[in-house]
Amino acid sequence: MKLFLDSAIVKDILPRVKSGLISGVTTNPTLIKKSGRDPLDVYRELSHDVSDISMEVVAQDLPQFIDESLKLSDYFGDIATIKVPCTDIGLKTCKYLANRGIRVNVTLVFSSSQAILAALAGATYVSPFVGRMDDNSLNGLGLIADISNIFQKHKVDTQILAASIRDTQSVARAFGLGANICTIPVKVFDGMSQHVLTDKGLDQFDHDYMASVKN
Ligand code: E4P
């Protein structure tokens, strides 16, 4: 059970990584755009503190996908997880990279059949998009359960990386249904430690402690 941060804002990521509770970071072109920075600058800055960064490759054809992937992998080494879309070319890229021992995250997964192909292509991670499925009246967490069931029955090594998670409850449910990793926005990570009854209980304990200490 691992948590990744789904963000490209270095100043948000680093303090939370230092908590020791975060095992990796996932980025995508939209998150990079929000950061207002060049993707390579973001990866370089994170690379001192984060041991697993999903770096999405954007390309037009298979040779370009492979070329861009290898450039990232050569430059960043074991820190780089190459992120490719679950398309025909993305899966071929995945197979090529996986055969060379490079970690691949197959992203934009919306069905069990896509997850099966990603696993057969040797993906380290398969990323079903829970929130985007829910946005479209589909059962995002149901897909996590379905993939988990298939992967367990067939002893598949590919890890389920639940993505597009928008709330703390979905994190717990995704893990409960078999996700190996949840990648979450910093807001969701911060929310996971919060509980109104914790705050209330702590106020009471602080108050009672002060009342009982003699000196
Ligand atoms: C994960 O790898 C994706 O980048 C991300 O979770 C997408 O989330 P969104 O649907 O909230 O954009």
Side-chain angles (χ1 to χ4, degrees):
M1 186 174 70
K2 288 182 182 170
L3 284 176
F4 285 7
L5 284 180
D6 198 27
S7 170
I9 312 280
V10 175
K11 73 171 174 41
D12 286 348
I13 296 168
L14 292 184
R16 289 164 177 91
V17 165
K18 290 195 168 93
S19 71
L21 303 174
I22 301 294
S23 305
V25 168
T26 52
T27 63
N28 66 36
T30 306
L31 293 171
I32 296 280
K33 185 179 164 215
K34 274 189 203 153
S35 78
R37 302 184 63 198
D38 182 88
L40 291 181
D41 290 339
V42 172
Y43 307 152
R44 264 189 222 109
E45 213 175 321
L46 289 176
S47 66
H48 307 292
D49 299 275
V50 182
S51 59
D52 187 340
I53 306 170
S54 281
M55 307 173 182
E56 190 149 347
V57 172
V58 177
Q60 301 309 317
D61 53 29
L62 183 60
Q64 201 189 1
F65 257 103
I66 290 176
D67 191 47
E68 294 300 318
S69 302
L70 291 178
K71 274 189 206 155
L72 286 169
S73 178
D74 287 347
Y75 188 89
F76 290 101
D78 199 42
I79 285 167
T81 294
I82 306 302
K83 200 173 179 190
V84 297
C86 193
T87 59
D88 179 50
I89 292 178
L91 291 167
K92 284 181 178 136
T93 307
C94 177
K95 187 83 184 162
Y96 179 93
L97 298 173
N99 283 343
R100 283 153 188 79
I102 297 170
R103 273 197 317 273
V104 182
N105 175 356
V106 175
T107 189
L108 289 167
V109 166
F110 294 93
S111 71
S112 297
S113 58
Q114 288 182 308
I116 290 166
L117 292 181
L120 292 173
T124 301
Y125 306 128
V126 59
S127 289
F129 275 36
V130 173
R132 290 194 197 186
M133 290 191 69
D134 294 344
D135 292 344
N136 286 280
S137 306
L138 296 165
N139 185 355
L141 288 166
L143 178 60
I144 300 289
D146 289 345
I147 298 172
S148 172
N149 184 30
I150 295 164
F151 282 12
Q152 274 179 39
K153 278 203 173 104
H154 295 276
K155 300 185 174 33
V156 170
D157 289 334
T158 300
Q159 296 176 57
I160 302 169
L161 201 175
S164 185
I165 299 257
R166 280 93 184 255
D167 58 85
T168 56
Q169 280 199 333
S170 295
V171 178
R173 294 204 55 213
F175 280 130
L177 291 167
N180 304 97
I181 305 162
C182 287
T183 187
I184 54 176
V186 293
K187 192 172 153 219
V188 174
F189 176 70
D190 292 348
M192 286 180 71
S193 61
Q194 307 297 315
H195 200 287
V196 64
L197 292 178
T198 303
D199 295 342
K200 194 175 167 203
L202 187 59
D203 281 349
Q204 181 75 52
F205 288 160
D206 284 349
H207 178 269
D208 292 346
Y209 175 79
M210 294 311 289
S212 59
V213 170
K214 304 294 178 219
N215 304 303

